[in-house]
């Protein structure tokens, strides 16, 4: 089988029922990303974009495509931030890929660590805690990324979340009944009332994970190939990920439908809940919440992390 241009097939896109050669595939993925950026106004004039870089395929392709856009614009700047949680060999290897890529592309990279910022690395933090590692890791990493992006005067904080990630988040919040977090999903998360919040953007949100792998391989982008974090096996997200993979395999296009449905719901739900004053702002961290103290702060309240949290 061949691509519509006549060249050899590189990728079969089941949800569209088409086959694409390498060149047409790359072009098509980039077209979809740029359309998402335009449609949802992810970028604006004079933006200084900070990309959260882990060294995995998603953040590497996100940085690559945004850098391609910024290169053609005189008013925009770009840099990357990587966080070292201190998860031994795994993080060392992913960070090496991040450094290698930034050097290759001549993009400034800023590196921060849990150890320097919170006085402890992740294994030390979770030593006597009941909750799983990912809960602390996610909360603290997001917190640091926002803080460091702001300190470096970024106007946008870009994440390499793909279509699968977004569908997983929708399911996760649905299963745990977390309306606050559900209402914060979408291609762009901003809160003009909270000055310290750097608007977050997700340029790859409409690209399935499988296509990100194929995109990196087509362009020979260096990335750390596997999610081998020793704590990864604990996460509920992993169970949902497996389920969604199976669903997409059997019914191509399911992931798009899930995200599309959430996109239809979220704007009206936001209006409804903001109007009735159900969404307030957390007294401790300032994030939107239906209660005075958000779940994140509540989570940290009874642990040793309170001391660390107050420092930041
Ligand atoms: Fe952090 Fe969990 Fe991801 Fe490991 S799997 S990097 S602990 S969020
Ligand atoms: Zn082609
Ligand atoms: Zn809070």
């Amino acid at each position: 089988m061949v691509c519509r241009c006549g060249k050899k097939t590189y990728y079969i896109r089941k949800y569209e029922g088409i086959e694409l050669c390498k060149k047409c595939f790359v072009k098509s993925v980039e077209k979809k990303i740029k359309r998402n950026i335009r449609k949802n106004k992810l970028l604006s004039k004079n933006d200084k974009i900070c990309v959260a870089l882990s060294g995995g395929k998603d953040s590497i392709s996100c940085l690559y495509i945004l850098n391609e856009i910024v290169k053609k614009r005189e008013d925009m700047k770009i840099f990357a931030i990587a966080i070292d949680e201190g998860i031994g060999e795994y993080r060392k290897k992913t960070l090496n890929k991040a450094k290698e890529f930034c050097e290759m592309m001549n993009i400034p990279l800023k590196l921060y660590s849990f150890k320097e910022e919170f006085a402890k690395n992740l294994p030390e933090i979770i030593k006597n805690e009941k909750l799983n590692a990912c809960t602390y890791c996610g909360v603290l990493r997001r917190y640091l990324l926002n803080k460091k992006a702001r300190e470096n005067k970024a106007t946008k904080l870009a994440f390499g979340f793909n279509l699968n990630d977004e569908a997983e988040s929708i399911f996760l919040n649905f299963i745990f009944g977390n309306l606050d977090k559900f209402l914060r999903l979408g291609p762009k998360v901003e809160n003009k009332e909270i000055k310290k919040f750097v608007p977050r953007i997700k340029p790859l949100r409409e690209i399935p994970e499988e296509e990100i792998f194929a995109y990196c391989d087509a362009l020979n982008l260096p990335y750390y190939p596997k999610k081998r974090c020793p704590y990864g096996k604990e996460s509920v997200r992993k169970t949902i990920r497996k389920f969604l993979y199976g669903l997409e395999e059997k019914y191509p296009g399911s992931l798009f439908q899930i995200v599309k449905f959430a996109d239809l719901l979220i704007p009206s739900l936001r209006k409804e809940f903001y109007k009735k004053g159900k969404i307030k702002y957390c007294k401790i961290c300032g994030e939107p919440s239906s209660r005075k103290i958000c779940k994140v702060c509540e989570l940290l309240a009874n642990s040793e992390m309170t001391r660390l949290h107050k420092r930041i």
Side-chain angles (χ1 to χ4, degrees):
M1 296 290 276
V2 291
C3 175
R4 55 194 161 192
C5 76
K7 286 193 193 133
K8 202 176 108 197
T9 297
Y10 171 73
Y11 187 83
I12 301 172
R13 186 178 278 155
K14 284 190 201 155
Y15 62 86
E16 282 179 354
I18 56 168
E19 305 199 9
L20 297 155
C21 70
K22 206 180 259 190
K23 202 173 164 195
C24 293
F25 171 73
V26 168
K27 233 173 143 180
S28 155
V29 168
E30 292 180 350
K31 204 172 152 192
K32 280 173 190 276
I33 296 172
K34 286 176 186 166
R35 193 187 53 200
N36 175 28
I37 292 175
R38 253 194 331 270
K39 185 175 69 184
N40 296 299
K41 300 186 175 66
L42 302 191
L43 298 178
S44 23
K45 264 188 182 176
N46 303 316
D47 258 343
K48 184 174 184 186
I49 308 159
C50 168
V51 178
L53 190 65
S54 69
K57 60 173 191 326
D58 301 312
S59 60
I60 290 280
S61 9
C62 181
L63 181 56
Y64 175 81
I65 183 92
L66 288 178
N67 188 50
E68 288 299 297
I69 295 170
V70 169
K71 264 189 340 201
K72 293 174 195 141
R73 302 272 307 242
E74 290 206 340
D75 60 322
M76 288 186 180
K77 286 188 185 131
I78 192 163
F79 69 99
I81 282 186
I83 305 285
D84 181 2
E85 306 91 345
I87 317 174
E89 276 306 296
Y90 163 74
R91 191 47 91 210
K92 246 184 229 162
K93 284 180 184 163
T94 61
L95 288 178
N96 281 344
K97 281 289 168 202
K99 284 181 204 160
E100 182 190 331
F101 183 69
C102 287
E103 272 166 29
M104 187 177 102
M105 303 296 293
N106 206 12
I107 300 169
L109 171 67
K110 298 184 186 290
L111 189 61
Y112 300 98
S113 72
F114 276 17
K115 188 83 182 174
E116 276 171 31
E117 301 295 327
F118 306 125
K120 285 183 179 190
N121 59 30
L122 188 66
E124 289 166 340
I125 288 168
I126 58 164
K127 214 167 156 191
N128 300 315
E129 303 293 347
K130 286 188 201 100
L131 294 163
N132 74 33
C134 297
T135 307
Y136 289 100
C137 182
V139 169
L140 298 175
R141 193 180 39 220
R142 272 194 303 276
Y143 200 101
L144 260 192
L145 282 168
N146 184 65
K147 188 175 179 230
K148 296 301 171 187
R150 189 179 69 239
E151 285 174 3
N152 283 287
K153 305 208 171 355
T155 53
K156 297 280 159 59
L157 176 54
F159 288 87
F161 294 130
N162 58 46
L163 181 72
N164 297 59
D165 295 325
E166 195 73 350
E168 285 162 21
S169 299
I170 291 165
F171 258 74
L172 259 177
N173 292 321
F174 183 60
I175 288 167
F176 291 106
N178 201 335
L179 185 64
D180 297 358
K181 284 192 181 170
F182 180 71
L183 294 185
R184 276 182 270 154
L185 291 174
K188 187 177 181 184
V189 186
E190 59 185 338
N191 196 328
K192 286 175 185 154
E193 288 173 40
I194 302 175
K195 296 267 183 294
K196 290 183 166 181
F197 187 81
V198 182
R200 293 174 188 171
I201 56 168
K202 300 174 193 167
L204 312 186
R205 188 178 178 258
E206 293 179 11
I207 313 296
E209 178 166 48
E210 204 186 89
E211 292 197 19
I212 307 273
F213 275 118
Y215 178 76
C216 282
D217 293 340
L219 293 173
N220 284 323
L221 301 180
Y223 64 91
Y224 188 70
K226 293 219 165 92
K227 288 184 177 168
R228 281 206 183 117
C229 174
Y231 300 114
K233 55 183 176 295
E234 299 172 24
S235 79
V236 188
R237 190 178 268 273
K238 209 166 177 181
T239 314
I240 295 173
R241 183 173 303 153
K242 270 192 204 156
F243 162 71
L244 289 178
Y245 249 101
L247 192 74
E248 180 66 22
E249 188 63 30
K250 212 166 170 192
Y251 308 105
S254 303
L255 294 177
F256 280 108
Q257 294 307 333
I258 292 166
V259 173
K260 226 166 131 184
F261 187 61
D263 284 353
L264 280 176
L265 270 180
I266 289 173
S268 44
L269 279 179
R270 266 191 202 144
K271 265 189 214 159
E272 174 78 2
F273 281 85
Y274 279 108
K275 194 173 66 193
K276 289 184 181 166
K278 285 183 187 169
I279 301 288
K280 300 182 185 89
Y281 294 96
C282 170
K283 280 193 167 176
I284 298 176
C285 69
E287 289 289 317
S289 168
S290 54
R291 295 171 298 173
K292 282 183 186 167
I293 308 291
C294 76
K295 274 198 173 175
V296 171
C297 294
E298 186 187 273
L299 181 80
L300 300 178
N302 297 322
S303 78
E304 195 198 349
M305 287 306 300
T306 314
R307 186 176 55 77
L308 299 172
H309 191 49
K310 279 180 180 159
R311 271 187 47 195
I312 42 182

